[in-house]
Amino acid sequence: MGYRRSWKLAQNMIKVYGTNDPLVIADYLDIHVWNERLPLHIGGFFTRIFDSAYIVINSEKPRTWKRAIAAHELGHALLHNHDHIFLATSNFVTKSKIEREANLFAASLLIGDERPEEGESIYDLACRICVPIEFITALPWDFLRRNENEGAFL
């Protein structure tokens, strides 16, 4: 599953559930979300136990990161094989294909239709929409310049 499909899935979640809040979407999907104290290098993880799905978020992380971690783990829940446990480390910079896909899903969900305003840097955009800059800088370079008419990347 590539960048475009991850982006389309995130946009579909926003359309279907009327929100880009990963916690609300997880609730709709009957995915339990817990905040637990975890080692500092672990942001959170997704797992399935029997027929129940769980996202566990490190309670020690700042609020903005908790939301981003929830979106990232929701990406794993929707995009990837449910027989694995997916761990989010503290920096989200990775070469793993499935982690990049979860990052793109999370960024697409959290950013939604927001784009930089005239003269606004990506750092200012990240602050304005409360998304960690690491998510925005990890995106494909053309992500923020998508064609508004087609809803696809340039």
Side-chain angles (χ1 to χ4, degrees), residues 34-54:
W34 292 342
N35 284 280
E36 297 290 335
R37 189 174 188 152
L38 300 171
L40 291 178
H41 68 283
I42 297 175
F45 62 90
F46 168 76
T47 191
R48 209 173 261 289
I49 302 172
F50 300 111
D51 290 331
S52 297
Y54 299 90

Side-chain angles (χ1 to χ4, degrees), residues 46-77:
F46 168 76
T47 191
R48 209 173 261 289
I49 302 172
F50 300 111
D51 290 331
S52 297
Y54 299 90
I55 292 173
V56 180
I57 301 168
N58 190 334
S59 61
E60 302 298 309
K61 297 292 182 184
R63 182 176 166 268
T64 299
W65 271 100
K66 287 180 184 178
R67 186 169 167 259
I69 292 164
H72 175 92
E73 299 305 334
L74 181 61
H76 282 306

Side-chain angles (χ1 to χ4, degrees), residues 92-116:
F92 286 93
V93 176
T94 182
K95 294 182 181 186
S96 162
K97 179 181 177 184
I98 63 172
E99 293 301 323
R100 285 193 315 267
E101 289 171 352
N103 284 348
L104 180 64
F105 173 84
S108 299
L109 184 69
L110 297 174
I111 294 169
D113 288 331
E114 293 287 344
R115 295 296 176 265

